[in-house]
Structures are given as C-alpha cells and as structure tokens.
Amino acid sequence: MSVAKSAEPIRTKPPFKRSYVDRRAISVVRRLQEEGFETYLVGGCVRDLLLGSRPKDFDIATSAKPETVRRLFRRSRMIGRRFRIVHVHHGREIFEVSTFRAEPPKQEGKDVKVIRSDNVYGSVQEDANRRDFRVNGLFLDPIAGEIVDWVGGLQDIEDRVLHSIGDPEVRFREDPVRILRLIKFMRRLDLAPGDAEIAAADRHAHDLSHAAPARLAEEVFRLLSTGQSEGVFEDLEALKIRRYVIPELVKWLRASDTNRDALHHRLRALDEMAAHGLHADYDFHLAVLFGPRVEQEFDPATRRGKLKEYPQIAAAILGEFQQRARLPRVAVSCATNLLLAQLRLDPPEYVPSGSRKRWNRKALMAQPWFPLALSYLKLRLKAEGRSPELWQEWHDRYGEFGQDEE
Ligand code: ATP
Ligand code: MG
C-alpha cells in the first residue's frame, strides 16, 4: 500500500472533556493497560467526539490477543469469523475489543487484491493504516489523555474533508463497500470528499457486484439511518450504484420520474422524521424503500389487485430483497403489516365500503406493530404533501384505546 509511513505520529491533548468519554469504556482500557497491553479507544468514537457529536459506541483496540482479552474479562465473548474480536460486557453496555491488525499480505500472482481474511496481527501503526478513512484512523488514550494520529485524521477533521488512507483506487478495489461508507460518512457527517475519492468511487462502483449481498444490505440500512437518506440516494444514482444495492427497485425507478419521485419524497419525509427523533428499524426502512412500488403494483387502477392479495404482492416484492440480503423473514412480514395497515388507516378509493365496515379498529390498534404503522402513516402524508390531520385522528383514537385497556 502506498501510505507514506511517518516514523512518529502526531500526539495531542483531546479538545473535548474527559466526561464525554464513556466511563465503562475507560475502565476496560485501563484494565488492559494495567496488564501491560497498549490499548486505545479507536475509530468512529474518536471521530465523533472531535466533531462534537455523541458517539454511538466506543470501540477498543489493543495489543492483547483475543484469547487474552477473553481471559481477562469474565463477562466476555469471542465473536466474528472474518476476524476474531471480543465483546466485553459491562453493565448493559457491550464494548468491541479488537487486536491491532495489519493489512493482510498481498497474494502473489493474483490481480484482484480483494481482502478475504484479516487475521494478521500488527502494530498500532499498521492498525491505523489498514482503516478506511483518515478521520476513522485516530486513537485516543483516555488514561494518558492523548490523541495519537498516524494518518492525518486530525487535519482532515479540522478541514472537514474525507480522504481515504492511502490511494483510494487501491482501497476501493480491495473493498468496494468502502465506496458506500464514503457516501455514508460524507452525508452523515457533512464532510467534503476529496476529488480522488469521488473519481475512484466512480471508477470502482462496478466492483460492488463482487461484494457479499448481506454486507451491502447492511450498509443500505445504515445509509437509510443517516438522517440524509434523500441525498444518499442521489449519490447512489449519480454513481450508478443503485443496481448493486437495490437491484429489485432499479427497473421500477428508471421506468418513470413519478416512481423515482415517490421514493425520494418518502426518503425526505424519513429524514425529517429522523430529525425529530424517529428511530426507525429494518422493518420501517423496508416499508419506506419498497412501499411506493408495492402500492403501485397493487393499485387496481394501474395493475391487478384484490384486497386479499395484498400480502402476497408485498411479500413477493420484498421477498426478493430479503432472500438476497439474508434478512430474517420476520422483517418482511412486519414491513408488509405496516404497508397493509395503510389500507385501513387511510383507505384508498378502490377499497370497497363493504370491507371498510367489517374492519375492527380495536383489533388493529391492539397489534404490537400499530404504533409503527401510525408513524408510517405520518410519513406517507408528509411525503404526499397532505395534512397530518388523519394521523392526528388515529393518534388520539389510539391514546383513548390505550386508556380503555388499563
Ligand atoms: P459508525 O458511527 O457508523 O459506527 P464507525 O467509523 O464506527 O462509524 P464501524 O463500521 O463501526 O464505523 O467501524 C469501526 C472502524 O473500523 C471504522 O472507524 C474504521 O476505522 C474501521 N473500518 C470499518 N469498516 C472498514 C472497512 N471496510 N475497511 C477499513 N476499515 C474499516
Ligand atoms: Mg461504529
């Protein structure tokens, strides 16, 4: 790899308060250091603290081997196939502890240098260099109160830019999922990507066809959780990546601007709701992604569609994605329920009044997924530019229903 290896890293005092760092994470680091192992907090948490946001989790990197970490912490578990890491439980928190790793040696005589196994232990500097982006390659020693920067991450944070560690051409070819990570970080953290990174993403987008579908699907859900999903989908479109991450929707999206707009309006509504505290899960995100297509396929004005066929139609469309992405089947059935419930919460004209009368509101509101279906109604109304009145009515009705139950 063509990373300029500086002999010494930049060492600096963290500009944030020590109290922002999780106390339990510090105690895990301390324990490992007391046993004589070089240990730091690393990656996303250091980046987020420097950018002034609250880290999702605190990952730990250490010179101790996984077996040693496992032995030192009674409440710990070894996980991972691609590389072994240890989950250390502390209260209700779980900390991921990984051993410093080096870039695996290049396989002689092979053109495509795709990373397949990462279990090559290394020094802290090597561990910094194998990471994806400079802003993700920072180490924090919370005991000494020091940030250690081997890769130029501090400068990038100051400049609010996103550069890969080493040549992006090489790094995106080794692992094309890094292209999705580039989009995720630039949108979520509002960092400007380097020109070389964008050019390399463009050139290597097609390598995503070799990536494991389950890994791609996981990134799709992370992209939907950025709070900037509309912008993310514009990037996916511009870089011609949609065909690799949501092949089930590509033909439909390209068929008409109305289809594309229907999805983008939903994504925009999702982002607005996320900004107001909505924490959506797989099932909700699946309903956001596939809802417009399911609704369109179902609408008898455009296609087929008898009311009782709705679940099959939804399951057929969502099922393709679920199988490719190896999602649990229950995620699809929950997403289907959210979509199906819309016919009752907000009946389209084609639903005959006979069926409306037979519907039992209480039975609907008693479903465990009802609050989610209600949130989805809110999202749809927002996306379609309609008033939230209907949502409010159901919301009030549900409030009263909850009181009846007590
Ligand atoms: P998030 O806040 O989304 O969790 P993160 O930076 O913590 O962001 P993770 O996916 O949790 O991202 O990964 C933790 C760290 O592992 C990253 O910060 C990065 O240093 C490294 N990393 C993750 N994925 C890759 C990859 N594909 N190639 C190289 N390094 C990676
Ligand atoms: Mg993380």
Side-chain angles (χ1 to χ4, degrees), residues 42-45 47-48 56-59 96 181 188 222:
V42 68
C45 66
R47 175 199 70 214
D48 290 348
K56 257 193 345 240
D57 37 39
F58 288 84
D59 294 336
E96 227 172 79
R181 293 174 59 83
R188 196 178 78 198
R222 291 200 183 152

Side-chain angles (χ1 to χ4, degrees), residues 42-45 47-48 56-57 59 130-133 136-137 171 175 177-178 181 184-185 188 215 219 222:
V42 68
C45 66
R47 175 199 70 214
D48 290 348
K56 257 193 345 240
D57 37 39
D59 294 336
R130 61 115 188 142
R131 290 171 185 275
D132 50 0
F133 298 101
N136 286 345
R171 303 309 309 278
D175 179 6
V177 172
R178 288 173 184 151
R181 293 174 59 83
K184 173 175 75 174
F185 292 124
R188 196 178 78 198
R215 247 187 112 203
E219 282 303 325
R222 291 200 183 152

Side-chain angles (χ1 to χ4, degrees), residues 8-219:
E8 278 305 315
I10 295 171
R11 294 176 189 274
T12 171
K13 220 168 111 40
F16 45 82
K17 287 198 200 127
R18 189 183 146 99
S19 59
Y20 291 173
V21 184
D22 190 287
R23 271 183 303 111
R24 291 155 301 184
I26 298 180
S27 80
V28 175
V29 173
R30 179 178 293 117
R31 179 80 214 279
L32 284 158
Q33 288 190 357
E34 280 168 2
E35 293 291 330
F37 298 106
E38 192 177 1
T39 306
Y40 303 91
L41 294 169
V42 68
C45 66
V46 187
R47 175 199 70 214
D48 290 348
L49 285 165
L50 287 167
L51 287 170
S53 61
R54 178 201 279 266
K56 257 193 345 240
D57 37 39
F58 288 84
D59 294 336
I60 295 164
T62 181
S63 61
K65 299 277 157 24
E67 303 74 32
T68 313
V69 179
R70 172 71 195 83
R71 208 159 17 80
L72 285 174
F73 297 91
R74 199 169 46 82
R75 293 184 59 215
S76 66
R77 221 157 63 87
M78 193 93 84
I79 62 150
R81 259 180 302 170
R82 221 167 131 237
F83 47 84
R84 284 179 306 155
I85 54 180
V86 181
H87 273 177
V88 173
H89 293 247
H90 201 307
R92 277 195 296 160
E93 220 44 56
I94 299 175
F95 298 102
E96 227 172 79
V97 182
S98 49
T99 306
F100 298 145
R101 275 185 282 132
E103 197 75 5
K106 307 264 186 288
Q107 290 172 341
E108 294 294 323
K110 290 214 173 148
D111 283 351
V112 191
K113 297 180 183 89
V114 177
I115 297 179
R116 300 214 183 278
S117 150
D118 293 280
N119 257 338
V120 184
Y121 299 124
S123 67
V124 58
Q125 184 179 7
E126 285 169 318
D127 192 70
N129 281 324
R130 61 115 188 142
R131 290 171 185 275
D132 50 0
F133 298 101
R134 293 187 203 164
V135 296
N136 286 345
L138 294 165
F139 291 74
L140 167 66
D141 181 340
I143 314 292
E146 188 173 69
I147 290 179
V148 186
D149 179 9
W150 294 92
V151 294
L154 286 166
Q155 188 63 50
D156 279 9
I157 294 224
E158 193 170 316
D159 301 342
R160 298 199 63 94
V161 293
L162 198 53
H163 288 295
S164 19
I165 296 174
D167 182 354
E169 287 278 334
V170 177
R171 303 309 309 278
F172 292 172
R173 196 172 28 177
E174 277 173 352
D175 179 6
V177 172
R178 288 173 184 151
I179 299 172
L180 299 180
R181 293 174 59 83
L182 175 82
I183 297 173
K184 173 175 75 174
F185 292 124
M186 69 190 221
R187 288 287 174 177
R188 196 178 78 198
L189 309 170
D190 194 21
L191 300 178
D195 293 342
E197 278 70 16
I198 289 295
D202 199 24
R203 212 176 342 257
H204 290 286
H206 66 269
D207 290 342
L208 281 163
S209 63
H210 308 302
R215 247 187 112 203
L216 292 179
E218 199 179 318
E219 282 303 325

Side-chain angles (χ1 to χ4, degrees), residues 1 24 45 65 76 144 182 219 221 256 262 292 294 320 326 334:
M1 207 173 43
R24 291 155 301 184
C45 66
K65 299 277 157 24
S76 66
L182 175 82
E219 282 303 325
F221 288 111
S256 85
V294 171
E320 266 178 65
R326 294 172 200 251
C334 184

Side-chain angles (χ1 to χ4, degrees), residues 219-234:
E219 282 303 325
V220 170
F221 288 111
R222 291 200 183 152
L223 288 167
L224 285 167
S225 313
T226 52
Q228 301 291 333
S229 64
E230 195 191 3
V232 160
F233 271 69
E234 279 162 15

Side-chain angles (χ1 to χ4, degrees), residues 371-398:
L372 268 188
L374 210 51
S375 294
Y376 196 75
L377 172 66
K378 191 177 189 179
L379 178 129
R380 274 187 45 246
L381 296 174
K382 222 184 244 295
E384 291 165 18
R386 293 161 62 194
S387 127
E389 218 171 303
L390 182 62
W391 172 80
Q392 192 65 52
E393 279 169 29
W394 276 105
H395 181 77
D396 296 346
R397 205 172 276 148
Y398 185 56

